[in-house]
Amino acid sequence: MLQRPDEPMNPVPRAALRRGPFRDGAFPSELRSERLSAWLGLWLGVAFGICFLTGIVSHGAQEWAFWPSRPVQLYRVTQGVHVATGYVCVPLLLAKFWAVYPKLFTWPPARDVGHAVSRGALFLLVASALVQVVSGVLNTARWYAFGFFFTTVHYWSAWTCVGALLIHVGSQIAVLRRELGRTARPPQTPPTAPGPGQPRPPSAGAATGTNRLSRRTLLGAVGTAAGVVTLATAGQTVPPLARISLLAPRQPHRGPQSLPVNRTAAGAGIPPIDASYRLTCAGPTTTSLTLDALHHLDQHTVTLPITCVEGWSATADWTGVRIRDLLDLAGFDPDAPVRVVSLQRRGNYRSSVLHPNHHRDPLTLLALHLDGEPLAPDHGYPARLIAPNRPGVQQTKWVTRVERLA
């Protein structure tokens, strides 16, 4: 998107094509420059890099068998940073697109094979970046209008974006070094005041008709916008910022029992729970426990955050039976993974897998109470999984069965 110093000037298109963005003077703003594009690209690259790395961590928390249970706040921090930097990318990406928009209409579209590959990578970069940011914002707002499984598309488009970004940076490295390495141009000496009777020369802005806004001011405005977006949304992860986070999709203490929920019992199709409820532990010794029997087992209370992939998180006190005690009761192999199954009949997260590093942790519970009260139906009554350092989608609600992983 930046022009290398050894590049020849682009030829002018034929007169028949000099229309719209190809006409002379189509992009009159003098604020656009290689230096502006380079600095915006650097900021965007840093924000996107952090967002990408924390996104890989989020994916790993849902997929990796070796994902640890400690520290208990790890996923909360990484996912909060992931969503926050995703929001920061919005104003940076818009500013970057504005700065380099005229470069999309250079002529000819491709001078040679190498240039064609570079512009093809640029197309992938723009497309995948838009998919990442737009789908991410919609997902945090829980507006699933995109019609595809978010997690898979978001993950693979991130890798596409990173690959295209590396190709783009490689093709522009000389320009980036030149523009980021040099100091800003020193201010010009102001013109001498006109003598008596001499006309006052017009200002540069009046003479050229360009904006009076400087590039430095523009960069400051973009940086300020990124900071405002962060403060306006980070309250869903950082409780002290909740009062000023007016754009946060979720508030950490709003919901049943002062805790947010994403899927309600009605939305999951959970029938009313009556005395017929049983928790089945299908191990070498199959054990079936009523709700009353679960309450008569040793009860433990832990303080753990619940963190959603949409970025919100909240801490609560959970009371229930340790998962490892239930597994020992049914004779499970302590080194084998198990599956926790919900009463929910449909959905990608109606069950989750617990590996030994989690199900042997004393903080992992089959929770029966939340903050000293029985679980509300929307929080998983009669029993739900709560484990340290796991995404909320894997804290299975309405648990009815624990079984060996086939």
Side-chain angles (χ1 to χ4, degrees):
M1 304 279 278
L2 304 175
Q3 187 173 341
R4 296 192 299 270
D6 58 341
E7 277 187 352
M9 295 298 292
N10 294 319
V12 178
R14 293 178 300 174
L17 295 177
R18 295 178 199 172
R19 300 176 182 177
F22 292 104
R23 74 183 188 278
D24 294 336
F27 305 101
S29 176
E30 294 183 358
L31 289 178
R32 294 184 176 96
S33 69
E34 292 182 337
R35 184 174 176 81
L36 176 68
S37 298
W39 277 107
L40 288 173
L42 176 63
W43 293 356
L44 186 59
V46 170
F48 187 84
I50 295 173
C51 192
F52 173 75
L53 293 176
T54 51
I56 295 299
V57 169
S58 179
H59 184 79
Q62 301 180 54
E63 301 292 338
W64 298 337
F66 57 83
W67 180 250
S69 62
R70 306 293 177 93
V72 298
Q73 302 284 349
L74 176 61
Y75 185 74
R76 183 182 203 174
V77 171
T78 58
Q79 191 63 12
V81 171
H82 176 70
V83 173
T85 52
Y87 277 116
V88 166
C89 286
V90 173
L92 294 179
L93 196 61
L94 290 174
K96 177 68 173 178
F97 282 167
W98 176 85
V100 300
Y101 182 67
K103 296 291 185 179
L104 298 177
F105 303 99
T106 55
W107 191 267
R111 295 186 300 272
D112 49 43
V113 174
H115 188 232
V117 171
S118 177
R119 290 184 70 83
L122 186 61
F123 172 80
L124 285 177
L125 176 58
V126 172
S128 57
L130 287 174
V131 169
Q132 286 292 101
V133 172
V134 173
S135 65
V137 170
L138 291 179
N139 185 67
T140 58
R142 296 193 303 142
W143 186 37
Y144 306 120
F146 27 75
F148 51 76
F149 186 50
F150 168 78
T151 303
T152 301
V153 173
H154 200 65
Y155 176 74
W156 288 112
S157 63
W159 282 106
T160 302
C161 191
V162 166
L165 179 62
L166 291 176
I167 295 174
H168 178 62
V169 170
S171 67
Q172 304 296 330
I173 192 66
V175 178
L176 292 172
R177 285 178 176 175
R178 184 184 73 241
E179 296 300 329
L180 297 178
R182 70 179 179 86
T183 58
R185 294 177 180 175
Q188 297 180 352
T189 304
T192 305
Q198 293 181 337
R200 181 176 298 274
S203 64
T208 62
T210 58
N211 300 321
R212 296 182 180 179
L213 183 69
S214 69
R215 296 187 182 98
R216 181 173 295 180
T217 303
L218 177 61
L219 284 173
V222 174
T224 301
V228 169
V229 167
T230 301
L231 292 176
T233 56
Q236 64 177 358
T237 304
V238 185
L241 298 178
R243 291 187 176 182
I244 62 174
S245 294
L246 302 179
L247 300 180
R250 307 298 295 274
Q251 294 295 329
H253 299 297
R254 291 185 181 177
Q257 296 177 282
S258 300
L259 196 68
V261 295
N262 274 7
R263 171 158 289 192
T264 63
I270 304 301
I273 306 299
D274 54 28
S276 65
Y277 170 81
R278 296 291 186 275
L279 172 73
T280 301
C281 296
T285 302
T286 299
T287 304
S288 182
L289 300 168
T290 65
L291 186 56
D292 186 61
L294 286 171
H295 281 92
H296 280 84
L297 295 176
D298 290 341
Q299 303 291 301
H300 302 271
T301 299
V302 300
T303 302
L304 288 177
I306 185 165
T307 304
C308 188
V309 294
E310 282 89 358
W312 66 264
S313 59
T315 300
D317 293 332
W318 309 87
T319 301
V321 184
R322 285 175 175 164
I323 290 291
R324 71 182 187 184
D325 293 343
L326 291 172
L327 300 184
D328 291 343
L329 190 64
F332 280 84
D333 180 355
D335 296 323
V338 299
R339 179 183 286 112
V340 181
V341 183
S342 173
L343 287 167
Q344 181 181 340
R345 297 302 180 189
R346 296 182 180 85
N348 294 305
Y349 300 108
R350 61 175 298 271
S351 68
S352 66
V353 174
L354 276 175
H355 293 277
N357 51 346
H358 275 97
H359 69 61
R360 302 309 297 178
D361 194 299
L363 295 181
T364 302
L365 301 182
L366 183 73
L368 307 172
H369 291 82
L370 168 58
D371 288 336
E373 300 178 352
L375 289 171
D378 289 345
H379 282 303
Y381 178 84
R384 71 166 299 161
L385 175 67
I386 186 71
N389 196 33
R390 275 168 68 89
V393 292
Q394 293 187 329
Q395 308 282 35
T396 307
K397 298 192 287 189
W398 313 293
V399 175
T400 185
R401 184 179 178 88
V402 180
E403 61 188 18
R404 289 177 292 182
L405 187 64

